[in-house]
Amino acid sequence: MLHVDIELNIGDFSLNVEFQCGRELISLFGYSGSGKSLTLEAIAGLRKPDRGQIAIDGRTVFDSTEGINVPAHERGIGYLIQDGALFPHLTAAKNIAYGLQGLNRRAREARVHELLDLLELSGFGGRYPRTLSGGQKQRVALARALAPKPQTLLLDEPFAALDSTTSETLRRELYKIQDELQLTIIFVTHDLSEAISLSEKIAVYDDGAILQLGTNADIYRRPNSRRAALLTGTANVIDGVVESRLEDGLIVRTNDLAVRTDPYPFATGDAVVLCIRPESILLLRKDRPASTASRENNVTGRVISETARGSLYRLEFRVDNPKDRLNPTVLEIELPSHVYGVMRVAEDREWTVSLRRDALHVIPAQ
């Protein structure tokens, strides 16, 4: 179990965060400069917080009140940064063995051999970093961090400089390592898709604070604030007012829309924000009847622009008959490329979309 409750001030920047996690992999997600790496440095003992407490597996390693500040090398933590920081004059095996100075030669060699096997580096122990690929270097760096058998592993954007295929392979291996070794792993990333594919929980960072900490589904589908929604890619964030409460939900009116949502604890007249992810908006086919669920919250409009993004298309959809013609409601919609082609969106710009109630999320206006 890792417990963190700290405040750390550097110049005009203030980091003030509190969280805890067990034997799991948790991602710290947010833009550069939001305090993610600073959090790792404080946990590792490389930065001294101004206030608070850090405990690792029940052992207090920092407490500002009690005057406790355990040195970094005594905290039992593995730490890996983006470039791996391998020693260029040492072989892969000697890089891994660097943190095993307290063991005899036979024990060191056995541990190095174990880690080379674990990270699929058998046969690479005698090679120098300059002869290794980017992915192999990061495997060696990860093996070096794991060598002393830490129970807590800190990873600061370790795959950011790698190609997508290599990154995906290493993410799978990291997940396997966490499962096999039952470590507490804190993984820093600015890539939401990476955080979601890898970790069980995500902490959304912004300006030195944690806006939201929750499961992947909570972060992705149920942001707790406008800022959290925008940071996590909820492109459609629309101001509205609760027009009425029903037995099974709400009627929320925005400038150009009136939609039915699932139940939320808001009263009639409350100012709220509607959130819907771009991939959750359904473009209704014209050659077949819509399903019962797809007939909810139907909105007509026009596709006014599109952007191809590999296997996806991102559309801008302007709602018909806006009240404010200078500032009409424009929804972002994401479609798989094959759907875009089958429905011939490039040839037909007038559509009806469904804002299904189970895809709508309602949060308080701020």
Side-chain angles (χ1 to χ4, degrees):
M1 175 72 73
L2 172 67
H3 173 78
V4 177
D5 179 6
I6 56 171
E7 180 180 345
L8 200 167
N9 300 294
I10 300 178
D12 294 333
F13 182 81
S14 179
L15 175 72
N16 199 324
V17 294
E18 179 180 2
F19 67 92
Q20 62 182 25
C21 55
R23 299 292 185 219
E24 58 190 332
L25 199 160
I26 179 173
S27 289
L28 310 187
F29 163 79
Y31 292 148
S32 297
S34 59
K36 309 182 302 296
S37 297
L38 202 57
T39 300
L40 294 197
E41 292 174 8
I43 295 170
L46 304 178
R47 296 265 191 181
K48 182 181 178 181
D50 296 289
R51 177 206 61 78
Q53 184 183 68
I54 300 171
I56 302 171
D57 293 332
R59 176 193 176 207
T60 299
V61 296
F62 175 79
D63 191 311
S64 58
T65 303
E66 299 295 329
I68 298 171
N69 189 23
V70 176
H73 66 278
E74 296 179 9
R75 295 195 179 191
I77 286 175
Y79 192 19
L80 174 60
I81 60 177
Q82 185 177 130
D83 64 4
L86 296 178
F87 298 113
H89 63 290
L90 298 180
T91 65
K94 289 183 178 179
N95 263 284
I96 296 170
Y98 185 80
L100 299 172
Q101 301 304 317
L103 300 181
N104 61 44
R105 179 180 175 182
R106 179 174 295 180
R108 284 201 307 272
E109 290 178 350
R111 180 60 175 159
V112 169
H113 181 75
E114 177 187 357
L115 289 165
L116 289 171
D117 284 345
L118 178 66
L119 287 158
E120 300 183 5
L121 288 167
S122 297
F124 291 87
R127 302 216 353 215
Y128 287 88
R130 65 180 179 275
T131 70
L132 300 174
S133 69
Q136 290 163 348
K137 289 177 184 177
Q138 285 302 80
R139 283 190 176 92
V140 173
L142 180 56
R144 185 177 63 186
L146 291 170
K149 298 185 177 180
Q151 291 302 301
T152 300
L153 182 63
L154 309 179
L155 305 175
D156 195 350
E157 301 201 64
F159 312 141
L162 304 176
D163 63 83
S164 58
T165 301
T166 303
S167 296
E168 177 61 29
T169 300
L170 288 175
R171 285 196 293 268
R172 288 197 299 267
E173 291 181 4
L174 181 61
Y175 195 83
K176 180 184 70 174
I177 287 169
Q178 194 280 329
D179 185 56
E180 290 181 2
L181 302 183
Q182 288 298 294
L183 304 176
T184 298
I185 300 179
I186 310 297
F187 186 94
V188 162
T189 181
H190 62 270
D191 184 335
L192 182 63
S193 62
E194 181 173 64
I196 288 174
S197 67
L198 184 63
S199 55
E200 301 163 18
K201 292 181 182 177
I202 299 173
V204 180
Y205 269 60
D206 186 45
D207 195 25
I210 295 176
L211 294 183
Q212 186 172 358
L213 173 62
T215 65
N216 293 353
D218 286 336
I219 300 301
Y220 195 73
R221 297 289 181 187
R222 295 179 288 277
N224 64 0
S225 67
R226 178 194 294 271
R227 182 63 176 163
L230 293 173
L231 284 174
T232 56
T234 304
N236 302 296
V237 180
I238 308 168
D239 291 317
V241 175
V242 177
E243 187 172 78
S244 60
R245 288 179 55 88
L246 309 174
E247 288 186 4
D248 61 346
L250 305 175
I251 299 294
V252 175
R253 181 167 294 279
T254 73
N255 196 36
D256 298 322
L257 305 170
V259 295
R260 180 179 294 222
T261 77
D262 284 340
Y264 285 89
F266 296 109
T268 299
D270 282 351
V272 295
V273 174
L274 278 177
C275 302
I276 184 166
R277 298 194 66 88
E279 70 274 18
S280 297
I281 298 178
L282 303 181
L283 211 65
L284 300 185
R285 295 189 61 155
K286 299 178 180 181
D287 58 349
R288 63 182 63 174
S291 66
T292 301
S294 296
R295 289 197 291 270
E296 292 180 327
N297 299 328
N298 285 181
V299 178
T300 60
R302 178 178 179 82
V303 175
I304 58 173
S305 71
E306 60 195 16
T307 305
R309 298 185 176 181
S311 62
L312 297 171
Y313 272 84
R314 181 66 67 95
L315 312 178
E316 286 194 333
F317 178 86
R318 186 181 61 213
V319 173
D320 280 344
N321 304 316
K323 289 183 178 179
D324 183 351
R325 293 189 177 276
L326 294 178
N327 297 288
T329 298
V330 176
L331 302 173
E332 287 196 24
I333 303 173
E334 199 169 82
L335 285 181
S337 295
H338 75 277
V339 174
Y340 176 89
V342 167
M343 297 181 71
R344 298 183 177 181
V345 178
E347 304 167 20
D348 190 351
R349 313 307 272 177
E350 306 291 338
W351 293 91
T352 298
V353 301
S354 173
L355 311 180
R356 289 178 49 164
R357 60 190 298 178
D358 59 1
L360 289 168
H361 179 59
V362 188
I363 56 179
Q366 295 170 308

